[in-house]
Amino acid sequence: MPVTVQKFGGTSVADAYRIHLAARRAIRAKLAGKQVVLVVSAMGDTTDRLLDLAGRVTRHPSKREMDMLLSTGEQVSIALMAMAIHEAGHEAVSMTGAQVGLLTDSRHSEARIRSINAGRIRELLDQGRVVIVAGFQGVDENFNITTLGRGGSDTTAVALAAALGAAECELYTDVDGVYTADPRLVPAARKIDAISYDEMLELASLGAAVCHARSIEFGKKYGIPIHVRSSLTDNPGTMIMDNPPGMEDVVVRGATLKRDMGRITFVGLPNQPGVAAAIFDEIASREIVVDDIVQTVSEQGRSVNIACSIESRDLNEARAVGELIAQRFDSRAFEVQDDLARLSVVGIGMRSHSGVAAKMFRVLAAEKINIENISTSEIVISALVRQTDAERALQALHKAFELEREA
Ligand code: ADP
Ligand code: ASP
Ligand code: MG
């Protein structure tokens, strides 16, 4: 019997009514002859509320205890979802990450999935039950509960679809698909019918929170098409897949904004071998993720300046490490900025079209928005701008690249 995995995000299980709606959708799939696995997130803004609660108890929560706390949100949802399915006269069983053997590494709050025990779930499916799995959580080899990072239920769902050989994974959410930009920020944004894994991976990594980036990595690796769609309608949403039709014809597929970026800059470091290695070894050892790095040479080659952008949540730690390094190398100055945002345009068509970067910079110039840094890859052009300019910049780019028009 074919297996289908349906994931419901926080808004889609926010109250009893919506839990019943989601349950009904699962039952429909079962009655259509499928074995159904549901993955659910914590209800509504539960995860944010738990984070807030921890913040009232301590300013420095242990990462292990934080994962223990946050994982409770999903545990509430799975039990209620099972009850809703029972209420409709069908069999269902709820399972935590640990119970389905979702094994991760030990990086609390950003854990990566190592393996899943598909056998246990298959047994339950073969007994005719709907299996409801808690999203976002797993367990490490010492039975510590871990979480996969904000938005991680998407990754639970796609990883389960891969482990169970499902033909597709459906992500039910509060928008009716992936848009050319966050519709909350760009009212003119348009729904995309189909998008490649590569483009979606970049959009998700660069700020499109509609999918957890690692879920797209799983989808691509195991060839699982991902259908992002609304939990309130039956309309088709967005298919994330290999080679969608007309893929190369679209130069810019979408635009994103990643707020809460900062930057550290070392001014006047000695221009000699080993300096960059020492800095980035130190930064990496604290598990601080660096977005991009710029090195420039000054004073006729006698010194270098090194700047790197970092997410704001890591900035305090980066500041502490940076100050130590700056002292060690006798850097002339060490600067920290915390009011930046990354603006990006993404599209596979950029591989074969030139002029996208120039156009992006022209649009920002016309808006009198200063570019703090530029970085590019094969299918992305990004600029760091001030947070106060970011939303206006995103809207201007969306318009200039005519993203609201049907592709
Ligand atoms: P869920 O709880 O269902 O996982 P999320 O809040 O994680 O939902 O993701 C859905 C939200 O993602 C939307 O409400 C939307 O504001 C935001 N979003 C950001 N970028 C995009 C985009 N490009 N397309 C669609 N939604 C986006
Ligand atoms: N509940 C978690 C979060 O809010 C995971 C998820 O919703 O995907 O980030
Ligand atoms: Mg989400």
Side-chain angles (χ1 to χ4, degrees):
M1 231 192 260
V3 177
T4 188
V5 178
Q6 302 182 336
K7 175 255 171 180
F8 291 88
T11 322
S12 310
V13 292
D15 52 35
Y17 170 72
R18 285 180 194 236
I19 289 175
H20 276 293
L21 270 188
R24 212 180 300 161
R25 206 180 275 277
I27 292 166
R28 263 197 346 232
K30 184 158 180 272
L31 294 177
K34 294 181 182 159
Q35 292 190 323
V36 183
V37 176
L38 289 189
V39 173
V40 288
S41 293
M43 295 170 71
D45 61 357
T46 299
T47 309
D48 289 330
R49 282 193 293 105
L50 292 171
L51 276 167
D52 183 60
L53 197 56
R56 287 162 195 259
V57 172
T58 169
R59 283 179 58 199
H60 305 287
S62 133
K63 284 191 160 184
R64 180 190 184 279
E65 301 311 328
M66 196 57 133
D67 277 357
M68 183 67 93
L69 178 69
L70 295 189
S71 68
T72 62
E74 271 69 13
Q75 206 167 322
V76 170
S77 308
I78 54 172
L80 293 174
M81 185 64 81
M83 292 175 196
I85 294 178
H86 295 161
E87 185 70 16
H90 291 263
E91 290 203 46
V93 56
S94 65
M95 304 285 277
T96 64
Q99 287 175 317
V100 295
L102 195 150
L103 195 69
T104 71
D105 62 19
S106 300
R107 272 194 285 175
H108 286 292
S109 83
E110 277 298 329
R112 286 182 163 261
I113 298 176
R114 286 202 173 138
S115 60
I116 296 177
N117 180 357
R120 180 82 187 105
I121 301 177
R122 279 218 182 86
E123 244 171 63
L124 296 164
L125 290 172
D126 288 343
Q127 291 165 9
R129 305 196 203 191
V130 174
V131 180
I132 304 155
V133 180
F136 172 60
Q137 58 175 259
V139 68
D140 76 2
E141 57 189 1
N142 296 315
F143 304 104
N144 296 301
I145 292 179
T146 54
T147 64
L148 309 180
R150 296 305 307 267
S153 298
D154 300 332
T155 298
T156 307
V158 181
L160 279 171
L164 294 164
E168 171 182 306
C169 181
E170 294 180 307
L171 304 181
Y172 287 94
T173 183
D174 60 2
V175 266
D176 53 6
V178 177
Y179 278 62
T180 46
D182 186 343
R184 287 180 212 241
L185 304 180
V186 183
R190 180 181 54 79
K191 193 185 89 187
I192 300 169
D193 293 332
I195 184 170
S196 66
Y197 292 119
D198 288 337
E199 287 169 318
M200 192 62 225
L201 185 56
E202 294 290 1
L203 289 174
S205 310
L206 293 164
V210 60
C211 296
H212 195 231
R214 279 215 303 289
S215 69
I216 312 300
E217 285 174 9
F218 270 102
K220 180 176 161 137
K221 185 163 172 194
Y222 296 98
I224 309 284
I226 301 169
H227 189 177
V228 179
R229 55 192 306 191
S230 164
S231 57
L232 295 176
T233 71
D234 285 330
N235 301 338
T238 301
M239 287 307 301
I240 306 170
M241 60 200 290
D242 240 349
N243 298 320
M247 176 170 86
E248 301 281 342
D249 304 339
V250 181
V251 181
V252 173
R253 176 76 67 186
T256 60
L257 184 60
K258 197 168 172 181
R259 288 187 214 271
D260 300 327
M261 295 297 303
R263 177 163 62 175
I264 57 172
T265 308
F266 300 90
V267 182
L269 290 165
N271 189 8
Q272 65 190 44
V275 174
I279 293 176
F280 292 102
D281 269 349
E282 197 65 51
I283 288 179
S285 73
R286 316 265 177 135
E287 294 189 356
I288 297 171
V289 179
V290 170
D291 233 51
D292 60 32
I293 301 167
V294 178
Q295 172 174 304
T296 50
V297 178
S298 56
E299 295 179 297
Q300 279 96 37
R302 279 197 302 282
S303 70
V304 292
N305 304 332
I306 294 181
C308 55
S309 49
I310 287 172
E311 286 187 28
S312 300
R313 61 173 183 192
D314 287 337
L315 206 58
N316 272 340
E317 191 149 12
R319 183 197 304 267
V321 185
E323 279 168 356
L324 286 177
I325 296 169
Q327 262 179 18
R328 182 173 355 141
F329 287 104
D330 201 17
S331 160
R332 202 163 53 244
F334 174 67
E335 293 160 6
V336 181
Q337 260 174 295
D338 66 355
D339 59 346
L340 300 175
R342 176 173 302 288
L343 201 60
S344 309
V345 295
V346 174
I348 276 191
M350 279 186 213
R351 286 177 182 156
S352 49
H353 288 78
S354 56
V356 179
K359 181 164 176 176
M360 177 168 175
F361 306 150
R362 269 202 312 276
V363 173
L364 296 179
E367 292 287 325
K368 303 222 169 350
I369 291 170
N370 193 45
I371 301 173
E372 304 282 330
N373 181 25
I374 295 165
S375 58
T376 65
S377 73
E378 200 182 16
I379 64 167
V380 181
I381 300 168
S382 281
L384 275 185
V385 299
R386 297 278 165 155
Q387 269 166 24
T388 44
D389 292 330
E391 214 166 301
R392 189 163 54 91
L394 182 71
Q395 287 165 357
L397 286 176
H398 195 274
K399 188 156 197 266
F401 283 104
E402 300 183 345
L403 294 179
E404 73 277 12
R405 278 191 21 196
E406 208 56 54

